[in-house]
C-alpha cells in the first residue's frame, strides 16, 4: 500500500472512531487502540510532510499561536431570535404564524436553547474549511483552528455531500468540564471563569489553539445556513436528520411538536429535565418545521418571524455591587454580604446576596462599585458569582477600587474578630454577650428540631433580648425573668397569647437528650451528630466526662508532638511518630460515627467553656428533662465493643448494629486497641487492615451469631 493511501486509511479510521466516541457516544475501540492508530498517523505525517492536511485528526490538538483573528463575512446573516418572556408572548408568536400561513395549527420543532456561542462551520466537498463566530451577525471572526480541536465537530462529512454547505450550531461547555476548569484555575491561581458560557467564549477566543484543545468544549448542530448544490428538504426536522447523517451531533432532546399546546408541554417537560442535562440551557427555541412557510413569514429587524426563543426566568443577572456588609451568625461566624442595586433574577427581586467568606471575596475579586453577576437557582440563597469585567475600561476602574477587607471588630458588639488557623470563617469572639450571636442562638434553641418551643418567634425573642430580659437560653426557663406578667408588657402581647407562650415553654421542657444536645448549638454538632453522640453516651454527664478525658488526652498527645518536633530541630532530622502520637487525638469522641478530630475538638472546647456548663446546669435545674437512657441491654455481647465494616450479606448496617446493641454490645465508628471485634463483610478496606495490625478479632456474621448464642 502506498504511503498516501495508508495515511488516508488511518485518517478515515480515526475519524470514524471519533464519530462513534464523541457524536454517537458509542465507542468502537479501546482508547489504547485509538492512541496506537493516532501515533502511527502522526509518525507517517511527520515523515511525509508533503501529505499534510488540515482535515487530519492529528490537527485536533491545536497549532502555533496566532497574532489575531481575521474577519469573516457570513454569506447568509446569522440572525438572532425573538424572545418570548412569558406564555402570552409565546401565544402571540404562534397566532401570527397561524394567521400568516392561514392554518389552524402549526407544526414546530422544539430545540433546547443551549447557553454557549453560535458558530458557523463551512464545508467544501465535505471537508471542514472555515469556522467563524457569529460576531454582529454579518461579520464574525475566523476561529477555524480553534474549532478544529472540538472532537464533536467533524473534519470531514460522511455520505453524500454537496459542494458547499455551511452548518450552524452552538459550542458550549458541559457542566463537568466547567467544574474542571474552575478547579484548575483555582489551583493555579488563574482567573476563575464566571459561568460555563463565559468559559466557552474564553476558550474559543484563544489565540493559541493548543489551549482550546485542552478545554472540554462540546457542540450541537441546529441548522443549515448557506449551501450550493444541496437540495434542501421540505422540513427542518428532515434537515436535522441530514445533519446527523453527515456526522454532526444533534441534541437528542429535539422534538417535533404540534401547535401551541405541544410547545407549552415541551417547555414544561424540558424545564423538569433541565437540572439533569449536564449542560446549561436557558430556554427552548421553537422553529416552524415547514421550510416553505418560513419563506412566507420572512424576517423583521434581523429576527425571523418563524422562530422564537422562550426563555426560562433568568437565574443570572448583572447589577451594581453597592456595598459589602457583614452579618454575624449564631456561632459568631462573620459572613460578608453583598448589598446590590435591586435586580430581578430567577423570578424575584434581589438586593442582598451572600459572599460566603473573605477567601471567596478574594478569589472572586469583587470590589464595591463593580458590576457583578448574581445567580439565584431555585430556592437557593442568591449568590454573587463574580465581577463582570468585559472591557478594558471596566478592568481599569475595578483595579482602582480598594480591595474589600475583613473587619477587625464585630459589627454588632465591637468584640474581637478571630480566625482559627486552618478555618476560612472569621468569628466574633464575644459569644452570647454579642447580641447577634445571642439572637441566633435563641432562634436555634427554640427551633422545631431543637427544644421546639412553639409560639416563641424571632420577633418576640428580639424584644426579650432588647429589653434585657433574656441573656442566655437558660433564661427562657427562668420564671423570674420570663413570665406572663413580663410578656404582657411587651408589644403586641395580649394576656391570652402571653399565657400561650408560657404554656409552650413549659411544654418544651420534656424533651430527648438528642434534642437537648442539638439545641445547645455547639459548632459542628448538627442533628445527626447530636443523635450519634446521644446514642453513644446516653446522658449529658457521660458526654461531658468523656469530653474532659479526651481533652486531656489530646493535650498529652500535643505535648508528645511538640517534644518530638523540638527533638527533630535539635538533631536536624525527621523522627518517626510514636504509636501514641498516631492514635486518635480524641479517642472517646472519635469512636462515634463520623466524628473526626475537628468535630471532637469543637465538642471539647464547647464543654470546657464555663459559660456553657453554667447554661447546661441552669437548664437542668429549671426542669428540662428527658427519659433516662435505657439500661444497656444485657447479653452475651455485654462489655464488648464492635466496629462494622464492608457489606454484610443479607443485612443492613442498621440491622447489624441493632442486633449487637440488643445483646449488650457497644458500637464504635473506628478501630482502636479498645475494639474487641471487627465485624467485616465484603469489600472491607482500611478498617480491616487496621484491625489486623492491632490484633483485633475479625469476625463475620455467622461468627457474630455464634457469639450471641454461646453460653459463656
Ligand atoms: S437558531 C434564526 N437554535 O440563540 C435562528 N439558536 O438568539 C438563529 N441558540 O445566537 C439561531 N440554541 O447562540 C438556534 N437550538 C438553537 C439554539 C440557538 C442556542 C442561540 C444561538 C443564537 C441565539 C439566538
Amino acid at each position: 500500500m502506498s504511503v498516501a493511501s495508508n495515511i488516508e486509511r488511518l485518517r478515515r479510521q480515526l475519524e470514524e472512531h471519533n464519530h462513534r466516541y464523541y457524536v454517537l457516544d458509542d465507542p468502537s475501540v479501546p482508547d489504547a487502540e485509538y492512541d496506537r492508530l493516532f501515533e502511527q498517523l502522526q509518525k507517517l505525517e511527520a515523515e511525509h510532510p508533503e501529505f499534510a492536511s488540515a482535515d487530519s485528526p492529528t490537527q485536533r490538538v491545536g497549532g502555533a499561536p496566532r497574532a489575531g483573528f481575521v474577519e469573516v463575512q457570513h454569506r447568509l446573516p446569522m440572525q438572532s431570535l425573538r424572545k418570548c418572556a412569558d406564555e402570552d408572548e409565546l401565544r402571540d408568536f404562534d397566532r401570527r404564524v397561524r394567521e400568516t400561513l392561514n392554518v389552524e395549527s402549526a407544526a414546530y420543532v422544539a430545540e433546547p436553547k443551549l447557553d454557549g456561542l453560535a458558530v458557523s462551520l463551512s464545508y467544501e466537498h465535505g471537508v471542514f474549511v472555515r469556522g467563524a463566530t457569529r460576531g454582529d451577525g454579518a461579520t464574525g471572526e475566523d476561529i477555524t483552528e480553534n474549532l478544529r480541536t472540538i472532537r464533536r465537530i467533524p473534519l470531514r462529512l460522511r455520505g453524500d455531500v454537496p459542494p458547499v454547505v455551511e452548518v450552524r450550531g452552538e459550542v458550549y461547555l458541559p457542566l463537568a468540564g466547567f467544574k474542571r476548569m474552575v478547579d484548575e484555575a483555582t489551583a493555579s491561581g488563574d482567573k476563575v471563569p464566571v459561568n460555563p458560557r463565559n468559559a466557552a467564549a474564553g476558550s474559543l477566543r484563544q489565540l493559541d489553539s493548543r489551549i482550546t484543545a485542552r478545554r472540554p468544549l462540546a457542540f450541537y448542530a441546529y441548522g443549515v445556513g448557506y449551501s450550493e448544490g444541496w437540495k434542501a428538504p421540505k422540513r427542518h426536522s428532515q434537515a436535522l436528520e441530514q445533519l446527523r447523517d453527515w456526522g454532526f451531533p444533534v441534541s437528542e432532546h429535539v422534538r417535533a411538536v404540534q401547535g401551541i399546546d405541544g410547545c407549552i408541554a415541551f417547555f414544561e417537560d424540558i424545564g423538569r429535565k433541565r437540572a439533569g442535562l449536564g449542560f446549561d440551557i436557558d430556554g427552548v427555541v421553537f422553529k416552524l418545521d415547514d421550510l416553505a412557510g418560513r419563506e412566507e413569514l420572512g424576517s423583521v429587524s434581523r429576527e425571523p418571524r418563524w422562530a422564537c426563543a422562550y426563555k426560562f426566568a433568568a437565574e443570572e443577572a448583572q447589577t451594581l455591587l453597592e456595598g459589602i456588609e457583614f452579618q454575624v451568625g449564631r456561632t459568631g461566624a462573620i459572613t460578608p454580604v453583598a448589598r446590590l442595586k435591586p435586580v430581578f433574577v430567577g423570578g424575584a427581586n434581589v438586593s442582598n446576596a451572600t459572599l460566603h467568606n473573605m477567601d471567596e471575596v478574594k478569589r472572586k475579586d469583587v470590589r464595591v462599585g463593580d458590576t457583578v453577576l448574581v445567580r439565584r437557582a431555585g430556592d437557593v440563597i442568591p449568590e454573587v458569582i463574580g465581577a463582570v469585567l468585559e472591557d478594558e475600561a471596566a478592568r481599569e476602574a475595578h483595579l482602582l477600587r480598594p480591595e474589600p477587607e475583613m473587619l477587625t471588630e464585630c459589627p454588632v458588639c465591637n468584640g474581637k474578630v478571630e480566625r482559627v488557623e486552618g478555618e476560612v470563617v472569621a468569628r466574633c469572639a464575644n459569644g452570647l454577650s454579642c447580641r447577634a450571636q445571642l439572637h441566633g442562638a435563641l432562634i436555634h434553641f427554640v427551633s422545631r428540631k431543637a427544644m421546639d418551643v412553639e409560639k416563641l418567634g424571632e420577633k418576640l425573642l428580639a424584644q426579650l433580648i432588647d429589653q434585657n430580659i433574656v441573656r442566655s437560653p437558660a433564661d427562657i426557663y427562668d420564671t423570674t425573668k420570663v413570665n406572663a406578667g413580663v410578656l404582657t408588657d411587651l408589644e403586641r402581647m395580649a394576656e391570652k397569647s402571653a399565657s400561650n407562650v408560657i404554656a409552650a415553654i413549659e411544654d418544651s421542657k420534656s424533651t430527648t437528650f438528642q434534642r437537648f444536645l442539638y439545641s445547645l448549638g455547639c459548632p459542628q454538632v448538627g442533628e445527626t451528630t447530636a443523635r450519634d453522640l446521644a446514642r453513644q453516651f446516653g446522658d449529658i454527664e457521660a458526654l461531658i466526662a468523656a469530653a474532659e478525658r479526651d481533652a486531656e488526652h489530646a493535650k498529652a498527645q500535643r505535648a508528645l508532638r511538640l517534644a518530638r518536633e523540638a527533638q527533630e530541630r535539635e538533631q536536624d532530622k525527621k523522627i518517626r511518630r510514636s504509636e501514641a502520637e498516631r492514635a486518635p487525638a480524641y479517642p472517646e469522641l472519635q469512636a462515634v460515627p463520623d466524628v473526626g478530630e475537628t468535630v471532637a475538638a469543637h465538642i471539647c472546647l464547647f464543654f470546657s467553656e464555663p459559660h456553657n456548663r453554667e447554661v447546661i446546669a441552669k437548664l437542668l435545674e429549671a426542669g428540662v428533662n428527658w427519659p433516662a437512657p435505657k439500661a444497656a441491654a444485657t447479653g452475651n455481647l455485654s462489655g464488648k465493643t464492635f466496629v462494622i465494616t464492608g457489606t454484610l450479606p443479607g443485612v443492613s448496617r442498621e440491622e447489624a448494629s441493632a442486633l449487637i446493641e440488643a445483646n449488650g454490645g457497644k458500637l464504635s465508628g473506628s478501630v482502636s486497641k479498645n475494639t474487641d471485634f471487627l465485624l467485616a463483610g465484603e469489600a472491607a478496606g482500611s478498617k480491616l487492615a487496621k484491625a489486623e495490625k492491632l490484633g483485633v478479632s475479625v469476625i463475620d456474621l455467622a461468627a457474630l451469631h455464634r457469639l450471641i448464642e454461646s453460653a459463656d
Side-chain angles (χ1 to χ4, degrees):
M1 202 189 287
S2 73
V3 172
S5 51
N6 209 0
I7 288 182
E8 182 52 29
R9 182 184 54 92
L10 284 167
R11 286 179 182 163
R12 273 181 200 283
Q13 272 181 318
L14 284 164
E15 268 309 89
E16 177 62 27
H17 293 323
N18 244 326
H19 182 252
R20 291 279 298 263
Y21 189 97
Y22 289 102
V23 178
L24 303 182
D25 199 11
D26 176 24
S28 43
V29 289
D31 291 358
E33 171 66 4
Y34 183 91
D35 293 345
R36 195 182 63 77
L37 296 172
F38 193 88
E39 279 158 27
Q40 220 177 322
L41 176 60
Q42 260 182 333
K43 186 160 168 279
L44 279 179
E45 287 181 348
E47 286 165 4
H48 299 278
E50 69 274 23
F51 298 129
S53 171
D55 65 353
S56 170
T58 56
Q59 301 306 299
R60 290 195 185 274
V61 290
R66 325 167 55 85
F69 295 112
V70 176
E71 282 195 351
V72 189
Q73 202 75 22
H74 297 301
R75 288 203 260 193
L76 282 179
M78 289 184 78
Q79 294 181 301
S80 53
L81 291 166
R82 162 194 164 142
K83 282 161 203 71
C84 296
D86 53 34
E87 208 180 291
D88 287 344
E89 292 188 16
L90 184 67
R91 286 178 186 280
D92 280 348
F93 158 78
D94 172 62
R95 188 175 36 76
R96 213 159 318 148
V97 168
R98 283 184 292 110
E99 283 173 5
T100 312
L101 301 180
N102 199 11
V103 291
E104 284 274 313
S105 157
Y108 297 100
V109 173
E111 301 173 4
K113 188 170 186 312
L114 298 150
D115 204 6
L117 288 108
V119 295
S120 140
L121 311 170
S122 297
Y123 291 80
E124 286 176 10
H125 301 287
V127 175
F128 177 54
V129 291
R130 196 174 322 95
T133 60
R134 174 171 179 272
D136 63 4
T139 352
E141 283 175 326
D142 186 333
I143 51 163
T144 313
E145 302 308 319
N146 293 350
L147 290 170
R148 228 192 272 292
T149 68
I150 300 175
R151 304 297 198 275
R152 282 168 62 160
I153 294 181
L155 298 179
R156 285 193 211 177
L157 304 186
R158 309 154 65 84
D160 268 352
V161 288
V164 176
V165 66
E166 182 213 345
V167 172
R168 291 175 177 182
E170 195 89 348
V171 170
Y172 66 96
L173 193 63
L175 296 176
F178 174 65
K179 192 177 169 297
R180 207 179 89 193
M181 269 183 76
V182 169
D183 291 347
E184 285 174 7
T186 310
S188 63
D190 288 344
K191 182 115 185 81
V192 177
V194 173
N195 57 26
R197 205 193 105 82
N198 274 29
S203 303
L204 266 192
R205 294 202 75 264
Q206 287 290 333
L207 288 168
D208 186 343
S209 54
R210 287 169 302 191
I211 298 179
T212 314
R214 288 198 290 270
R215 304 278 164 84
L217 294 170
F219 173 78
Y220 273 129
Y222 54 62
V224 178
Y226 181 81
S227 70
E228 284 174 23
W230 179 54
K231 193 173 172 306
K234 286 199 156 60
R235 309 197 148 269
H236 176 61
S237 45
Q238 294 167 321
L240 292 178
E241 270 317 306
Q242 173 68 83
L243 285 171
R244 279 201 179 105
D245 291 344
W246 281 335
F248 291 97
V250 173
S251 168
E252 57 178 325
H253 299 285
V254 169
R255 292 282 179 280
V257 297
Q258 189 62 46
I260 183 72
D261 294 339
C263 292
I264 290 169
F266 181 91
F267 184 78
E268 286 171 354
D269 185 52
I270 199 89
R272 281 189 291 270
K273 293 185 181 144
R274 189 178 175 193
L277 292 179
F279 49 84
D280 273 353
I281 62 172
D282 55 358
V284 176
V285 183
F286 294 107
K287 299 175 180 171
L288 186 70
D289 197 16
D290 177 28
L291 299 184
R294 290 189 180 186
E295 296 294 323
E296 225 174 297
L297 281 152
S299 303
V300 261
S301 57
R302 286 194 275 160
E303 287 175 2
R305 280 207 199 86
W306 45 262
C308 74
Y310 186 14
K311 296 236 239 171
F312 299 125
E315 291 189 337
E316 278 184 14
Q318 298 187 0
T319 190
L320 178 71
L321 176 61
E322 291 181 332
I324 295 178
E325 286 174 16
F326 293 87
Q327 261 171 12
V328 187
R330 76 173 159 87
T331 60
I334 299 184
T335 313
V337 178
R339 298 285 175 232
L340 305 164
K341 185 167 172 226
V343 61
F344 193 73
V345 43
N349 261 317
V350 169
S351 50
N352 302 317
T354 177
L355 285 162
H356 302 293
N357 57 60
M358 289 314 279
D359 280 5
E360 282 283 301
V361 174
K362 274 224 158 48
R363 193 172 70 73
K364 290 172 178 166
D365 192 17
V366 288
R367 304 181 186 184
V368 175
D370 285 348
T371 295
V372 293
L373 199 59
V374 180
R375 171 165 42 213
R376 187 167 178 280
D379 50 5
V380 180
I381 313 164
E383 180 191 25
V384 170
I385 307 166
V388 184
L389 305 174
E390 251 154 25
D391 51 39
E392 212 37 55
R395 272 189 290 274
E396 267 170 32
H398 165 83
L399 289 174
L400 289 174
R401 294 176 185 128
E403 280 182 56
E405 276 186 62
M406 189 62 204
L407 301 176
T408 50
E409 277 183 6
C410 170
V412 176
C413 70
N414 301 326
K416 213 165 78 201
V417 171
E418 287 176 343
R419 187 167 161 173
V420 177
E421 210 188 295
E423 277 197 13
V424 286
V425 284
R427 292 176 199 277
C428 161
N430 255 353
L432 293 186
S433 33
C434 169
R435 187 194 177 281
Q437 291 189 57
L438 178 59
H439 193 207
L442 290 176
I443 292 171
H444 172 78
F445 184 78
V446 304
S447 66
R448 206 167 43 80
K449 289 174 177 167
M451 294 303 287
D452 192 18
V453 190
E454 286 174 41
K455 316 265 194 290
L456 200 45
E458 287 186 25
K459 293 227 172 80
L460 184 50
L461 287 172
Q463 283 196 67
L464 291 170
I465 294 170
D466 291 341
Q467 313 238 346
N468 247 331
I469 299 167
V470 167
R471 283 199 212 90
S472 94
D475 291 346
I476 290 175
Y477 293 105
D478 184 337
T479 47
T480 64
K481 292 175 175 158
V482 179
N483 51 48
V486 169
L487 289 182
T488 25
D489 284 345
L490 296 175
E491 255 172 68
R492 269 175 305 190
M493 260 290 153
E495 238 163 78
K496 176 76 183 140
S497 24
S499 72
N500 282 342
V501 173
I502 296 300
I505 291 174
E506 195 53 39
D507 250 10
S508 72
K509 281 185 183 170
S510 297
T511 183
T512 63
F513 179 35
Q514 169 187 334
R515 279 170 173 280
F516 177 75
L517 206 47
Y518 174 66
S519 74
L520 295 177
C522 168
Q524 306 270 347
V525 178
E527 242 185 301
T528 315
T529 307
R531 182 200 62 203
D532 292 344
L533 287 168
R535 272 198 197 147
Q536 181 92 355
F537 296 100
D539 222 329
I540 188 78
E541 292 80 17
L543 173 59
I544 292 177
E548 284 175 344
R549 283 191 298 269
D550 269 3
E552 282 302 317
H553 184 271
K555 203 168 129 193
Q557 202 186 53
R558 199 158 44 240
L560 284 177
R561 196 192 77 215
L562 292 175
R564 177 180 49 77
E565 285 172 356
Q567 222 179 344
E568 281 183 343
R569 276 193 301 277
E570 207 167 285
Q571 305 179 3
D572 195 24
K573 64 167 199 216
K574 283 257 165 261
I575 299 172
R576 235 177 93 80
R577 290 184 305 161
S578 64
E579 193 75 41
E581 207 188 311
R582 289 202 307 269
Y586 303 89
E588 295 188 50
L589 292 172
Q590 284 180 255
V592 175
D594 294 324
V595 172
E597 198 168 317
T598 314
V599 178
H602 273 289
I603 296 170
C604 287
L605 187 66
F606 184 85
F607 288 114
S608 72
E609 279 286 330
H611 177 78
N612 291 335
R613 295 280 282 269
E614 201 180 304
V615 169
I616 293 168
K618 278 193 184 161
L619 286 168
L620 298 179
E621 229 171 274
V624 171
N625 67 90
W626 53 87
K630 276 196 263 107
T634 49
N636 283 338
L637 306 185
S638 90
K640 302 290 181 212
T641 302
F642 290 76
V643 174
I644 306 180
T645 186
T647 315
L648 299 166
V651 293
S652 69
R653 272 218 193 172
E654 284 68 40
E655 288 167 332
S657 308
L659 181 67
I660 290 170
E661 282 177 341
N663 285 282
K666 266 181 61 171
L667 283 158
S668 169
S670 59
V671 177
S672 72
K673 59 179 192 306
N674 299 328
T675 310
D676 294 292
F677 296 100
L678 177 73
L679 175 59
E682 291 276 321
S686 61
K687 283 184 189 163
L688 180 57
K690 182 141 186 220
E692 282 167 353
K693 203 170 138 233
L694 293 178
V696 170
S697 312
V698 178
I699 56 170
D700 61 9
L701 206 53
L704 176 70
H705 282 292
R706 284 198 295 278
L707 276 178
I708 291 170
E709 281 146 26
S710 66
D712 52 337

